[in-house]
Amino acid sequence: MAARSHVQDPNDRRLRPIYDYLDNGNNKMAIQQADKLLKKHKDLHCAKVLKAIGLQRTGKQEEAFTLAQEVAALEPTDDNSLQALTILYREMHRPELVTKLYEAAVRKVPNSEEYHSHLFMAYARVGEYKKMQQAGMALYKIVPKNPYYFWSVMSLVMQSISAQDEKLSKTMFLPLAQRMVEKMVKEDKIEAEAEVQLYLMILERLGKDLEGLEVIRGKLGEKLTSELQSREMKCMVLYKKLIKWPECNALSRKLLLNNPDDWQFYLSYFDSLFHLIDAAWTPPTDAEHSLEGPVTCHILEAINFVEERILNEEPKGSRRLRGPYLAKLELIKRLRARGTNDEYRLGIPEELMFQYFERFGDKPCCYSDLRIFVDLLSPERHTQFINKLMEVVPLSVSSESDLALPGDIKAMQRHMFVIQFARLLGLHEALDREQKLILVEELMLRYKHALEFGKSCLKTELQFSDNYCLFAVHLLLDIWRQSGQ
């Protein structure tokens, strides 16, 4: 007769009812079942631990701890007992006892990968970083897998972070961690992105930014793939720290050509541009501008670059990206702050903001996009600007009300933007008490009308028109602050 491929441990079958009772919260039955089993099998240590779990959950902590220590003193090596004791100690909030448990198991079964890894994790839970390092290396010697080696490296990093003496951290722990990683690099054994990330973390903490940049730009940098443009973003951070403005500018420019809607790259592009202008940087005549390609070092070049991004968006119709249009306003803002005379080349801010509202006013983000450029508007033109916005908001008077109301969510969103922007510009402050109360009444009517747009919303969801209520509340608060009524 052929042998069966797997024979179930009879003890598992005997313990199963106790596990089921514990899982279902029936702790008294679990204790009773464990007592029955222990009468027949006195040496079944796991049954004693499961009984202790039942006692712990019924409030008999001292009795449970006594039972657990009886089993722990025997230094068990069977999985069932070890796992059950781990669960019990966790519920007792005594994670330090788990380390002793697996230290004993490792002494008895020194070549067990499972027990060594459990021991490492037990040390991690109690913050025993030095012992983690030793356990990681012991595990790597038994089973030479990269993760175990880098567990030990990470333990060194944790020792450096937790060390009270910063000098000790930078002269012993981190250099040792760096040497350990570089040994794997030389042997071409780096396999995972996490290993490269750890290497970069060590170099960063050592202040070796140039070496970190070389790692990212080299072969190891190819493993940085878990996040979109992770490699480029890390390069950008290091270029800024190392004050490599030509590379920072060129990389920002290159990334904007691929993704003209990424706002952080516009900011890096403009930051580096003005640093280059302030330093009077000029591109070399007999070599490439930088490691990352062409560099923009003149304001006119930057203006043309932004204009080109907008021209590329125009044919897209309603699916245009917001980034290039906002970049134009950002460049005007920076040029005005520097007191240069080139901002006129980009257009009039009021007109550009009006055009932006025409394109994107139905998006909830429109307000947060434009509010940072509010200072570009002339104070004497605030009322005219709001009136101009209102002229393009599609409102219509119904037979039921004399109030011009939006016909859909997009029209309502445009109208809410105008109300919110008017408040930002301080136009609500100019209203007297009666005018504010009239506006509050109007806003509440608009809120009730717009509830029809959210009929499909759940009760727990925000309504599309909730902002009307918020605007009304702010006006009432204004009245209360001014009059105390």
Side-chain angles (χ1 to χ4, degrees), residues 204-220:
E204 181 186 356
R205 298 190 73 84
L206 283 168
K208 297 184 177 182
D209 296 327
L210 196 57
E211 288 184 36
L213 185 59
E214 289 171 1
V215 170
I216 296 167
R217 289 183 56 83
K219 185 180 175 182
L220 291 177

Side-chain angles (χ1 to χ4, degrees), residues 16-65:
R16 175 53 48 198
I18 309 177
Y19 283 119
D20 290 340
Y21 284 130
L22 290 172
D23 289 342
N24 294 326
N26 198 339
N27 298 311
K28 289 184 179 179
M29 284 301 297
I31 294 167
Q32 291 176 17
Q33 187 67 30
D35 284 332
K36 287 180 184 178
L37 191 56
L38 285 168
K39 285 179 182 178
K40 295 180 182 178
H41 306 277
K42 294 181 180 179
D43 296 330
L44 192 52
H45 306 312
C46 185
K48 192 175 285 189
V49 181
L50 294 177
K51 178 184 177 181
I53 292 174
L55 291 168
Q56 169 72 17
R57 292 177 181 177
T58 52
K60 299 176 181 177
Q61 286 90 351
E62 290 184 10
E63 194 176 339
F65 183 70

Side-chain angles (χ1 to χ4, degrees), residues 459-477:
K459 290 181 179 180
T460 53
E461 291 180 323
L462 294 173
Q463 282 288 333
F464 297 112
S465 60
D466 280 352
N467 276 347
Y468 281 132
C469 267
L470 289 175
F471 301 152
V473 168
H474 279 294
L475 284 165
L476 291 171
L477 280 170

Side-chain angles (χ1 to χ4, degrees), residues 115-143:
Y115 293 166
H116 273 282
S117 59
H118 279 305
L119 178 60
F120 178 89
M121 295 303 174
Y123 286 142
R125 289 189 191 97
V126 295
E128 291 276 5
Y129 302 128
K130 185 172 179 58
K131 289 183 177 180
M132 281 169 61
Q133 178 197 347
Q134 295 166 350
M137 285 311 297
L139 186 52
Y140 181 71
K141 287 175 183 176
I142 297 167
V143 187

Side-chain angles (χ1 to χ4, degrees), residues 249 269 273 276-277 281-283 289 295-302:
N249 182 273
Y269 180 68
L273 166 69
L276 291 171
I277 291 171
W281 184 88
T282 54
H289 287 194
V295 176
T296 303
C297 57
H298 298 292
I299 289 172
L300 191 57
E301 290 177 343

Side-chain angles (χ1 to χ4, degrees), residues 224-241:
L224 300 172
T225 56
S226 64
E227 297 178 22
L228 188 64
Q229 297 174 329
S230 173
R231 192 178 188 182
E232 290 81 0
M233 289 301 303
K234 289 182 183 297
C235 276
M236 189 81 76
V237 170
L238 289 175
Y239 284 146
K240 289 179 181 178
K241 287 180 74 174

